[in-house]
Structure formats: structure tokens, C-alpha cells
Amino acid sequence: MSEKLRLRFIGIASLCVFIVLFLFLVCINTWNYNNMTHNADRTLNAISANNGIFPKIHKDKPKGEFMPEKRLEFSPEEPFSTRYFSVTLNEEQEQISINMNSIASVSLEEATDMTNTVMERGKDRGFYGSYRYHKTEVEEGSLLVFLDCTKDLFFTNNFFLNSIYVGGAGFLAVCFLIVLLSKAAVRPVAESYEKQKTFITNAGHELKTPLSIIEANREVIEMENGESQWTQSIKHQVERLTRLTNQLTTLAKMEESQEKIFLESIDFSYIITDVCDEMEAFAQGQGKTILSSVSPNVMINGNEDQLRQLLYILLDNGVKHSKENSVIEVTLANNGKLTIRNQAYLEQTGNMNILLERFYRTDTSRSRQTGGYGLGLSIANAIVEQHKGKISIMALKDDILEITIMFR
């Protein structure tokens, strides 16, 4: 149990770290990309506003003189390091002129092809390869400016890859620390659980002696004075306490990871059919019916005694907690999938695996009437886990409770 708790702690902690790092990397790379496109658009807007030419940058500003170019906050070297070209088109979208004085890596034919492709897209702003473009309306028709963002995209992509490498290394480092410190983190909980389990086992054994004495005294009283409602009440309560202590002791033993069970190849079909036949009389006494559909010769690796106990628990639970005159359907498929259905008193639909928890009961009043403590399905779950299987409970429409068990 402590190892399972430790693995669950490692999984949850690692998942939390991964989610936080993932969101952080997404946010910082999104911010970096948006910042790059924002700077590119700022430059394109300035060039477009200046008829396709980078605006002049004045180093000195005379006092009292208003200079709109200064508000652009470009460095004096930026006009010389910015690679761009502009294309002017008339109202019929025909090229009038191309300004390629600030770029050398694009030929006239390439510039024409880029312009035609961008005009076909019908968008005023976007990327064409490593070029950011911006289309504006001018007196002649349209002005299309292309800005070379090769260097900016390189740094952006490089930042993205480096952030993944750093984030991945950080995630692995944190996971290593989580694994390293996980034993110390779960030790108090594991020790508390082990003490609780030991207490339940010891208390179960200790209670058997006084219960046996009480039952023996009751029998003596009945032998001397005859049966009465008081002695029958004592008998009933002793039986309830005995059943409860036996269930608690059984559950504690099953959850002990040190305890290994002997598994062998057994005919699961035969066991199910045999148990259903044995439980049929009990079901009829409750006014209910067990209907089985079992595929023949389904073999699984398991422990026969525990599998019989599992089926007794599930059928007993199905009979006791189903509606009057209902049918408990037991189905075994060729792949070993066991399904048990019955009409129960349900208040909701969906996943009902909470019924596998100890002492959980959907209807406390009915559970008292049927003598249940909410431990039967917990024992069934422990048996399935020891056989490396999986059990699930679903509440379906029309108050159908479906229990599905699949062994590996």
C-alpha cells in the first residue's frame, strides 16, 4: 500500500509540475512571438505611412518643434539594418512601381511572385515565408510593404527550442527530486495506514473472544429459561458484530501487499455457473431471479476460493439491494469480461465507483434493513486488485446498476 501511495504521489506531483511548466512555456513563447510580430508591424506601419520608405530618424530635436517621427522610437541605426521592399499597385491591382533599394536577397521576379500571392490571399497583414507584409490604401491604389523577419524568426524559434530544452531539463530535475523525496513525504501517511490496518486486525481478533463468551452465555440462559425476545436480540447483535469483525479482518489481510495468493488456471465459467445455482434459492426467497448467460470454457489465472467469495459478494449485494421482483443478470463474455446488472434504488447516473469505498452506502436505512456495512464491495475490489483486474460500477438509465470486472 505504501508503494502504491508513493507512486500515486510521484504521478500527481510530476503531473502538476508538467502542467505548470507547460503553461509557463506556452505563455512566454506566445508573448515572445507576439512581441516579435508587434515590432515588425510597428516598422511596417512606419514605412507604409511614409509611402514605402523608412522614415528619417532625427538625432536632435530643436526645442519647440513637433516631430512625429520621434514618437516611433526607432534607433538611428534601424533604417540601415531593416531589410524591406515596397510595391505600389493601381486600382486594378497592377504593379506600378517596386522599391527594392533596401533589400538585396530578393530578385524582381521573386518580389512580383510574392506580391501576386499575397494579393490572392486577400489579407492586409500576415506572413509570407520569413517576410511580414502589410497592405495599405494610397492615392494610386494600394501599397504593399514586405519586411524581412528572417533574423527575428530565427531568434524566436531558437528561443522556443531553448525554452523546451531548459523546461525539459528542469522537469526531469524536479521529477528526480520528487522521486528522491517521495518516501519521506508519504512515510507519515503510510505509517498511519499501517497502524490503522494493524489495529483493525488486532481488534478483530480481540473481539472474537468476548463475542464467543456472550454467545455461550446466551445459549446457557436459553437452556435454563428458554428463548425470549431478549436472548434472540442478543443472538442477532452478536451475529452482526461477528460478521463485521470478520469482514474487517478479511479486508485488512487482503490489502497486505506482503500476502501473495496462489494463482492457477481455472475454469471461470464453471465457477460462475456453480455460484449462480447456489445463490438461486436465496434470490427466490427474496422474490428475485438470477439470470445467467455464461460463455463456456473461459479460463483465467486466479484463486478459486477468492473468486467464489467475489461472486458470492456481488450476487448477495445484487439480491439484497435490488428492487422487488427484479432480475439479476450475470454475463460472462469470451474475453473474460464479467458483467452483473440489477435494478437498484439509484438517485443519479454515471460513475459509481465510490461504492467500492469502505463503509459507503447509498441508502443508510435500507442498508440497515439488509444488514450491510458497506464493506462487501470493498472486499470485492481487494480481490479483483489481487488478481490484477479492474472493477467498475456504473449507474445507467432506468435505475440499472452495472458492475463490470475485467481480468488481465
Side-chain angles (χ1 to χ4, degrees):
M1 179 64 189
S2 59
E3 186 64 22
K4 184 185 295 185
L5 181 63
R6 176 171 171 262
L7 293 176
R8 182 175 296 181
F9 171 79
I10 293 173
I12 294 175
S14 300
L15 179 62
C16 292
V17 172
F18 175 80
I19 292 174
V20 171
L21 278 177
F22 178 77
L23 293 177
F24 174 76
L25 292 177
V26 169
C27 291
I28 194 171
N29 280 283
T30 301
W31 174 85
N32 189 46
Y33 178 81
N34 290 337
N35 188 54
M36 184 270 295
T37 56
H38 172 75
N39 291 333
D41 289 339
R42 185 190 63 159
T43 303
L44 285 171
N45 291 337
I47 296 174
S48 298
N50 200 45
N51 296 323
I53 301 174
F54 203 101
K56 294 181 179 180
I57 305 300
H58 298 275
K59 296 182 180 180
D60 299 321
K61 174 185 175 183
K63 294 182 179 181
E65 182 179 343
F66 177 73
M67 298 179 61
E69 297 90 348
K70 192 65 177 177
R71 292 184 302 166
L72 298 175
E73 298 181 355
F74 293 112
S75 67
E77 299 296 330
E78 200 150 356
F80 303 99
S81 61
T82 304
R83 303 292 90 191
Y84 69 94
F85 68 93
S86 59
V87 181
T88 305
L89 303 96
N90 58 22
E91 295 180 355
E92 287 76 23
Q93 305 302 320
E94 297 176 348
Q95 296 180 15
I96 300 176
S97 61
I98 299 181
N99 180 8
M100 303 185 66
N101 295 329
S102 298
I103 196 166
S105 60
V106 178
S107 65
L108 183 60
E109 293 181 357
E110 291 174 337
T112 302
D113 292 338
M114 291 170 64
T115 301
N116 294 334
T117 303
V118 166
M119 294 303 297
E120 290 177 358
R121 291 180 180 177
K123 295 182 180 179
D124 293 338
R125 196 183 297 272
F127 272 102
Y128 181 93
S130 59
Y131 287 83
R132 183 78 173 171
Y133 66 85
H134 178 44
K135 176 187 173 185
T136 54
E137 300 298 327
V138 293
E139 294 181 0
E140 295 84 355
S142 301
L143 177 65
L144 194 59
V145 181
F146 289 86
L147 178 66
D148 186 4
C149 298
T150 303
K151 186 181 295 185
D152 294 331
L153 287 172
F154 171 78
F155 286 122
T156 301
N157 294 333
N158 194 46
F159 179 85
F160 173 72
L161 293 176
N162 288 334
S163 66
I164 290 179
Y165 296 147
V166 173
F171 173 71
L172 293 177
V174 174
C175 287
F176 175 76
L177 292 176
I178 291 174
V179 173
L180 194 65
L181 302 176
S182 59
K183 288 186 178 180
V186 303
R187 185 180 296 117
V189 179
E191 290 177 352
S192 176
Y193 179 80
E194 291 298 326
K195 290 178 180 178
Q196 177 189 3
K197 190 166 56 178
T198 302
F199 169 77
I200 292 174
T201 304
N202 294 338
H205 288 296
E206 292 296 328
L207 284 172
K208 288 181 180 180
T209 300
L211 288 173
S212 299
I213 295 173
I214 293 172
E215 177 62 17
N217 291 338
R218 181 197 64 80
E219 292 177 354
V220 172
I221 292 174
E222 285 188 345
M223 290 173 61
E224 294 182 352
N225 303 314
E227 290 186 3
S228 66
Q229 62 177 358
W230 313 115
T231 58
Q232 290 302 307
S233 177
I234 292 173
K235 179 182 179 181
H236 177 65
Q237 297 303 324
V238 168
E239 288 175 350
R240 290 186 64 192
L241 282 174
T242 302
R243 186 163 59 251
L244 174 60
T245 53
N246 288 337
Q247 287 180 340
L248 286 172
T249 304
T250 301
L251 187 58
K253 287 182 178 180
M254 284 185 176
E255 290 184 343
E256 297 231 358
S257 58
Q258 302 93 337
E259 186 174 334
K260 302 296 182 181
I261 61 174
F262 176 71
L263 301 179
E264 59 180 340
S265 180
I266 57 176
D267 190 342
F268 197 31
S269 302
Y270 170 76
I271 294 176
I272 294 175
T273 303
D274 192 36
V275 173
C276 286
D277 292 341
E278 292 180 9
M279 292 292 293
E280 180 62 33
F282 171 69
Q284 289 179 355
Q286 301 286 329
K288 300 164 188 178
T289 306
I290 295 178
L291 182 62
S292 60
S293 176
V294 180
S295 298
N297 302 321
V298 176
M299 308 297 293
I300 66 170
N301 287 325
N303 182 279
E304 183 173 347
D305 293 336
Q306 288 200 0
L307 290 176
R308 285 183 177 274
Q309 183 182 9
L310 169 66
L311 292 168
Y312 282 127
I313 290 172
L314 296 178
L315 291 178
D316 180 77
N317 181 81
V319 171
K320 288 182 177 179
H321 299 285
S322 59
K323 294 182 178 180
E324 297 180 0
N325 303 318
S326 61
V327 177
I328 295 87
E329 300 179 3
V330 182
T331 305
L332 178 66
N334 290 323
N335 60 355
K337 181 180 179 181
L338 174 63
T339 305
I340 298 178
R341 286 187 173 189
N342 64 278
Q343 272 197 318
Y345 296 89
L346 303 175
E347 297 179 355
Q348 61 183 26
T349 59
N351 190 303
M352 293 292 290
N353 283 343
I354 192 172
L355 293 175
L356 301 174
E357 300 292 334
R358 295 183 185 182
F359 302 108
Y360 184 86
R361 295 179 291 188
T362 54
D363 191 332
T364 306
S365 60
R366 288 191 55 81
S367 295
R368 287 201 181 99
Q369 294 172 7
T370 56
Y373 296 97
L375 288 173
L377 290 178
S378 297
I379 296 175
N381 184 41
I383 294 174
V384 172
E385 286 184 349
Q386 281 198 332
H387 285 75
K388 308 299 181 183
K390 184 178 181 181
I391 181 172
S392 62
I393 305 177
M394 293 292 295
L396 309 177
K397 294 180 179 180
D398 301 325
D399 290 337
I400 299 296
L401 186 70
E402 180 183 84
I403 301 178
T404 303
I405 298 176
M406 188 68 190
F407 295 106
R408 294 180 182 176

Short mmCIF file of all heavy atoms in Angstrom, two decimals, residues 162-205:
data_model
loop_
_atom_site.label_atom_id
_atom_site.label_comp_id
_atom_site.label_asym_id
_atom_site.label_seq_id
_atom_site.Cartn_x
_atom_site.Cartn_y
_atom_site.Cartn_z
N ASN A 162 15.21 26.45 -27.14
CA ASN A 162 15.97 26.52 -25.89
C ASN A 162 15.05 26.43 -24.67
O ASN A 162 15.40 25.82 -23.65
CB ASN A 162 16.79 27.81 -25.83
CG ASN A 162 17.96 27.78 -26.80
OD1 ASN A 162 18.46 26.71 -27.15
ND2 ASN A 162 18.40 28.94 -27.25
N SER A 163 13.89 27.06 -24.77
CA SER A 163 12.95 27.00 -23.64
C SER A 163 12.45 25.58 -23.42
O SER A 163 12.24 25.16 -22.28
CB SER A 163 11.77 27.95 -23.89
OG SER A 163 10.99 27.52 -25.00
N ILE A 164 12.26 24.82 -24.54
CA ILE A 164 11.85 23.43 -24.41
C ILE A 164 12.95 22.60 -23.75
O ILE A 164 12.70 21.79 -22.84
CB ILE A 164 11.48 22.84 -25.77
CG1 ILE A 164 10.17 23.47 -26.28
CG2 ILE A 164 11.31 21.32 -25.69
CD1 ILE A 164 9.75 22.96 -27.64
N TYR A 165 14.21 22.83 -24.19
CA TYR A 165 15.32 22.10 -23.61
C TYR A 165 15.46 22.41 -22.12
O TYR A 165 15.61 21.50 -21.29
CB TYR A 165 16.62 22.44 -24.33
CG TYR A 165 16.64 22.02 -25.79
CD1 TYR A 165 17.34 22.76 -26.75
CD2 TYR A 165 15.96 20.89 -26.21
CE1 TYR A 165 17.35 22.37 -28.08
CE2 TYR A 165 15.96 20.49 -27.55
CZ TYR A 165 16.66 21.24 -28.48
OH TYR A 165 16.66 20.86 -29.79
N VAL A 166 15.42 23.69 -21.79
CA VAL A 166 15.57 24.10 -20.39
C VAL A 166 14.39 23.60 -19.56
O VAL A 166 14.55 23.10 -18.44
CB VAL A 166 15.70 25.63 -20.28
CG1 VAL A 166 15.69 26.08 -18.83
CG2 VAL A 166 16.99 26.09 -20.96
N GLY A 167 13.16 23.76 -20.13
CA GLY A 167 11.98 23.29 -19.42
C GLY A 167 12.01 21.78 -19.21
O GLY A 167 11.66 21.29 -18.13
N GLY A 168 12.43 21.03 -20.26
CA GLY A 168 12.51 19.58 -20.12
C GLY A 168 13.55 19.17 -19.08
O GLY A 168 13.30 18.26 -18.27
N ALA A 169 14.71 19.84 -19.11
CA ALA A 169 15.73 19.53 -18.12
C ALA A 169 15.25 19.87 -16.71
O ALA A 169 15.49 19.12 -15.75
CB ALA A 169 17.01 20.31 -18.44
N GLY A 170 14.55 21.01 -16.58
CA GLY A 170 14.01 21.37 -15.28
C GLY A 170 12.97 20.39 -14.80
O GLY A 170 12.92 20.03 -13.61
N PHE A 171 12.12 19.93 -15.73
CA PHE A 171 11.09 18.96 -15.36
C PHE A 171 11.72 17.65 -14.89
O PHE A 171 11.29 17.08 -13.87
CB PHE A 171 10.18 18.70 -16.57
CG PHE A 171 9.18 17.61 -16.37
CD1 PHE A 171 8.10 17.79 -15.52
CD2 PHE A 171 9.33 16.39 -17.02
CE1 PHE A 171 7.17 16.78 -15.33
CE2 PHE A 171 8.41 15.38 -16.84
CZ PHE A 171 7.33 15.57 -15.99
N LEU A 172 12.74 17.17 -15.61
CA LEU A 172 13.40 15.94 -15.20
C LEU A 172 14.10 16.10 -13.86
O LEU A 172 14.08 15.18 -13.02
CB LEU A 172 14.41 15.52 -16.27
CG LEU A 172 13.83 15.09 -17.62
CD1 LEU A 172 14.95 14.77 -18.60
CD2 LEU A 172 12.91 13.88 -17.45
N ALA A 173 14.69 17.29 -13.62
CA ALA A 173 15.36 17.53 -12.34
C ALA A 173 14.36 17.52 -11.19
O ALA A 173 14.61 16.94 -10.13
CB ALA A 173 16.11 18.87 -12.40
N VAL A 174 13.21 18.18 -11.40
CA VAL A 174 12.19 18.21 -10.35
C VAL A 174 11.63 16.81 -10.11
O VAL A 174 11.39 16.41 -8.97
CB VAL A 174 11.07 19.20 -10.73
CG1 VAL A 174 9.92 19.12 -9.72
CG2 VAL A 174 11.61 20.62 -10.77
N CYS A 175 11.40 16.06 -11.21
CA CYS A 175 10.91 14.68 -11.06
C CYS A 175 11.90 13.82 -10.28
O CYS A 175 11.51 12.98 -9.45
CB CYS A 175 10.65 14.07 -12.43
SG CYS A 175 9.18 14.71 -13.27
N PHE A 176 13.19 14.04 -10.54
CA PHE A 176 14.21 13.30 -9.80
C PHE A 176 14.13 13.62 -8.31
O PHE A 176 14.21 12.72 -7.46
CB PHE A 176 15.60 13.64 -10.35
CG PHE A 176 16.73 13.03 -9.57
CD1 PHE A 176 17.04 11.68 -9.71
CD2 PHE A 176 17.47 13.80 -8.68
CE1 PHE A 176 18.07 11.11 -8.97
CE2 PHE A 176 18.51 13.24 -7.95
CZ PHE A 176 18.81 11.89 -8.10
N LEU A 177 13.95 14.89 -7.98
CA LEU A 177 13.82 15.28 -6.58
C LEU A 177 12.54 14.72 -5.96
O LEU A 177 12.53 14.32 -4.79
CB LEU A 177 13.84 16.81 -6.45
CG LEU A 177 15.17 17.49 -6.80
CD1 LEU A 177 15.02 19.00 -6.73
CD2 LEU A 177 16.27 17.03 -5.84
N ILE A 178 11.47 14.71 -6.75
CA ILE A 178 10.20 14.16 -6.24
C ILE A 178 10.37 12.68 -5.91
O ILE A 178 9.94 12.21 -4.85
CB ILE A 178 9.07 14.36 -7.26
CG1 ILE A 178 8.72 15.85 -7.38
CG2 ILE A 178 7.83 13.57 -6.86
CD1 ILE A 178 7.73 16.16 -8.48
N VAL A 179 11.00 11.93 -6.83
CA VAL A 179 11.24 10.50 -6.58
C VAL A 179 12.15 10.32 -5.37
O VAL A 179 11.93 9.43 -4.53
CB VAL A 179 11.85 9.84 -7.83
CG1 VAL A 179 12.26 8.40 -7.54
CG2 VAL A 179 10.87 9.88 -8.99
N LEU A 180 13.16 11.18 -5.27
CA LEU A 180 14.13 11.07 -4.19
C LEU A 180 13.49 11.33 -2.82
O LEU A 180 13.81 10.67 -1.83
CB LEU A 180 15.29 12.05 -4.43
CG LEU A 180 16.56 11.84 -3.61
CD1 LEU A 180 17.21 10.51 -3.96
CD2 LEU A 180 17.53 12.99 -3.86
N LEU A 181 12.58 12.30 -2.78
CA LEU A 181 11.98 12.71 -1.51
C LEU A 181 10.59 12.11 -1.26
O LEU A 181 9.98 12.40 -0.24
CB LEU A 181 11.88 14.24 -1.46
CG LEU A 181 13.19 15.00 -1.63
CD1 LEU A 181 12.93 16.50 -1.66
CD2 LEU A 181 14.16 14.67 -0.49
N SER A 182 10.10 11.31 -2.22
CA SER A 182 8.73 10.80 -2.10
C SER A 182 8.56 9.88 -0.90
O SER A 182 7.51 9.89 -0.25
CB SER A 182 8.34 10.07 -3.39
OG SER A 182 9.23 8.99 -3.65
N LYS A 183 9.58 9.08 -0.61
CA LYS A 183 9.46 8.17 0.54
C LYS A 183 9.26 8.94 1.83
O LYS A 183 8.42 8.58 2.67
CB LYS A 183 10.70 7.28 0.63
CG LYS A 183 10.78 6.21 -0.45
CD LYS A 183 11.95 5.28 -0.19
CE LYS A 183 12.00 4.16 -1.24
NZ LYS A 183 13.13 3.24 -1.01
N ALA A 184 10.05 10.02 1.99
CA ALA A 184 9.90 10.82 3.20
C ALA A 184 8.55 11.53 3.24
O ALA A 184 7.98 11.73 4.31
CB ALA A 184 11.04 11.85 3.27
N ALA A 185 8.02 11.89 2.06
CA ALA A 185 6.75 12.62 2.01
C ALA A 185 5.57 11.74 2.39
O ALA A 185 4.64 12.19 3.07
CB ALA A 185 6.55 13.21 0.61
N VAL A 186 5.58 10.49 1.93
CA VAL A 186 4.43 9.61 2.18
C VAL A 186 4.62 8.74 3.42
O VAL A 186 3.68 8.03 3.82
CB VAL A 186 4.16 8.70 0.96
CG1 VAL A 186 3.93 9.53 -0.28
CG2 VAL A 186 5.29 7.70 0.74
N ARG A 187 5.81 8.79 4.05
CA ARG A 187 6.05 7.92 5.20
C ARG A 187 5.05 8.13 6.33
O ARG A 187 4.52 7.13 6.86
CB ARG A 187 7.48 8.11 5.72
CG ARG A 187 7.83 7.14 6.85
CD ARG A 187 9.25 7.33 7.34
NE ARG A 187 10.21 7.01 6.31
CZ ARG A 187 11.05 7.88 5.79
NH1 ARG A 187 11.05 9.14 6.20
NH2 ARG A 187 11.91 7.50 4.86
N PRO A 188 4.73 9.38 6.73
CA PRO A 188 3.75 9.53 7.81
C PRO A 188 2.39 8.94 7.48
O PRO A 188 1.76 8.31 8.33
CB PRO A 188 3.67 11.06 7.99
CG PRO A 188 4.95 11.58 7.45
CD PRO A 188 5.30 10.67 6.32
N VAL A 189 1.93 9.14 6.24
CA VAL A 189 0.63 8.60 5.84
C VAL A 189 0.68 7.08 5.79
O VAL A 189 -0.26 6.40 6.24
CB VAL A 189 0.21 9.16 4.46
CG1 VAL A 189 -1.13 8.60 4.02
CG2 VAL A 189 0.15 10.69 4.51
N ALA A 190 1.78 6.53 5.24
CA ALA A 190 1.91 5.08 5.15
C ALA A 190 1.96 4.45 6.54
O ALA A 190 1.33 3.42 6.80
CB ALA A 190 3.16 4.71 4.36
N GLU A 191 2.71 5.09 7.45
CA GLU A 191 2.79 4.55 8.81
C GLU A 191 1.44 4.61 9.50
O GLU A 191 1.05 3.68 10.22
CB GLU A 191 3.83 5.33 9.61
CG GLU A 191 5.27 5.07 9.16
CD GLU A 191 6.26 5.91 9.93
OE1 GLU A 191 5.83 6.79 10.71
OE2 GLU A 191 7.48 5.69 9.77
N SER A 192 0.72 5.72 9.28
CA SER A 192 -0.61 5.84 9.88
C SER A 192 -1.55 4.78 9.34
O SER A 192 -2.33 4.17 10.10
CB SER A 192 -1.18 7.23 9.61
OG SER A 192 -2.50 7.35 10.09
N TYR A 193 -1.46 4.52 8.03
CA TYR A 193 -2.32 3.49 7.42
C TYR A 193 -1.97 2.11 7.95
O TYR A 193 -2.87 1.30 8.23
CB TYR A 193 -2.18 3.55 5.90
CG TYR A 193 -3.02 2.51 5.19
CD1 TYR A 193 -4.38 2.72 4.98
CD2 TYR A 193 -2.46 1.32 4.74
CE1 TYR A 193 -5.15 1.76 4.33
CE2 TYR A 193 -3.21 0.36 4.11
CZ TYR A 193 -4.57 0.60 3.90
OH TYR A 193 -5.33 -0.36 3.28
N GLU A 194 -0.68 1.83 8.08
CA GLU A 194 -0.27 0.52 8.59
C GLU A 194 -0.72 0.33 10.02
O GLU A 194 -1.16 -0.76 10.41
CB GLU A 194 1.27 0.39 8.49
CG GLU A 194 1.80 0.31 7.06
CD GLU A 194 1.28 -0.91 6.33
OE1 GLU A 194 1.09 -1.96 6.98
OE2 GLU A 194 1.05 -0.81 5.11
N LYS A 195 -0.64 1.38 10.81
CA LYS A 195 -1.10 1.29 12.20
C LYS A 195 -2.61 1.06 12.25
O LYS A 195 -3.10 0.28 13.07
CB LYS A 195 -0.74 2.56 12.96
CG LYS A 195 0.75 2.73 13.22
CD LYS A 195 1.04 4.03 13.95
CE LYS A 195 2.54 4.20 14.19
NZ LYS A 195 2.85 5.51 14.85
N GLN A 196 -3.33 1.75 11.36
CA GLN A 196 -4.78 1.56 11.31
C GLN A 196 -5.12 0.13 10.92
O GLN A 196 -6.02 -0.50 11.50
CB GLN A 196 -5.38 2.54 10.31
CG GLN A 196 -6.88 2.39 10.13
CD GLN A 196 -7.41 3.23 8.98
OE1 GLN A 196 -6.64 3.88 8.29
NE2 GLN A 196 -8.71 3.19 8.77
N LYS A 197 -4.39 -0.40 9.93
CA LYS A 197 -4.66 -1.75 9.47
C LYS A 197 -4.33 -2.77 10.55
O LYS A 197 -5.07 -3.75 10.77
CB LYS A 197 -3.84 -2.03 8.20
CG LYS A 197 -4.20 -3.30 7.49
CD LYS A 197 -3.60 -3.32 6.11
CE LYS A 197 -2.11 -3.15 6.11
NZ LYS A 197 -1.52 -3.23 4.76
N THR A 198 -3.22 -2.53 11.26
CA THR A 198 -2.84 -3.43 12.36
C THR A 198 -3.87 -3.39 13.48
O THR A 198 -4.23 -4.42 14.05
CB THR A 198 -1.46 -3.03 12.90
OG1 THR A 198 -0.51 -3.08 11.84
CG2 THR A 198 -1.03 -3.97 14.01
N PHE A 199 -4.35 -2.16 13.75
CA PHE A 199 -5.37 -2.02 14.80
C PHE A 199 -6.64 -2.79 14.43
O PHE A 199 -7.24 -3.47 15.27
CB PHE A 199 -5.69 -0.55 15.01
CG PHE A 199 -6.90 -0.32 15.86
CD1 PHE A 199 -6.84 -0.46 17.24
CD2 PHE A 199 -8.13 0.03 15.29
CE1 PHE A 199 -7.96 -0.25 18.04
CE2 PHE A 199 -9.25 0.23 16.07
CZ PHE A 199 -9.17 0.09 17.45
N ILE A 200 -7.07 -2.67 13.17
CA ILE A 200 -8.29 -3.37 12.74
C ILE A 200 -8.12 -4.88 12.86
O ILE A 200 -9.01 -5.58 13.36
CB ILE A 200 -8.64 -2.98 11.28
CG1 ILE A 200 -9.07 -1.51 11.22
CG2 ILE A 200 -9.75 -3.87 10.74
CD1 ILE A 200 -9.30 -1.00 9.83
N THR A 201 -6.95 -5.38 12.43
CA THR A 201 -6.71 -6.82 12.51
C THR A 201 -6.70 -7.29 13.96
O THR A 201 -7.33 -8.30 14.32
CB THR A 201 -5.38 -7.17 11.83
OG1 THR A 201 -5.41 -6.69 10.48
CG2 THR A 201 -5.15 -8.66 11.81
N ASN A 202 -5.96 -6.57 14.81
CA ASN A 202 -5.88 -6.96 16.22
C ASN A 202 -7.22 -6.84 16.92
O ASN A 202 -7.61 -7.71 17.71
CB ASN A 202 -4.83 -6.10 16.95
CG ASN A 202 -3.43 -6.36 16.43
OD1 ASN A 202 -3.16 -7.42 15.85
ND2 ASN A 202 -2.54 -5.41 16.63
N ALA A 203 -7.94 -5.74 16.63
CA ALA A 203 -9.25 -5.54 17.24
C ALA A 203 -10.22 -6.63 16.82
O ALA A 203 -11.03 -7.12 17.62
CB ALA A 203 -9.80 -4.16 16.88
N GLY A 204 -10.12 -7.05 15.55
CA GLY A 204 -10.99 -8.11 15.08
C GLY A 204 -10.75 -9.41 15.82
O GLY A 204 -11.69 -10.11 16.22
N HIS A 205 -9.46 -9.72 16.03
CA HIS A 205 -9.15 -10.94 16.78
C HIS A 205 -9.56 -10.82 18.24
O HIS A 205 -10.07 -11.79 18.84
CB HIS A 205 -7.66 -11.25 16.67
CG HIS A 205 -7.25 -11.75 15.32
ND1 HIS A 205 -7.70 -12.93 14.78
CD2 HIS A 205 -6.42 -11.21 14.38
CE1 HIS A 205 -7.18 -13.11 13.58
NE2 HIS A 205 -6.40 -12.08 13.31
#
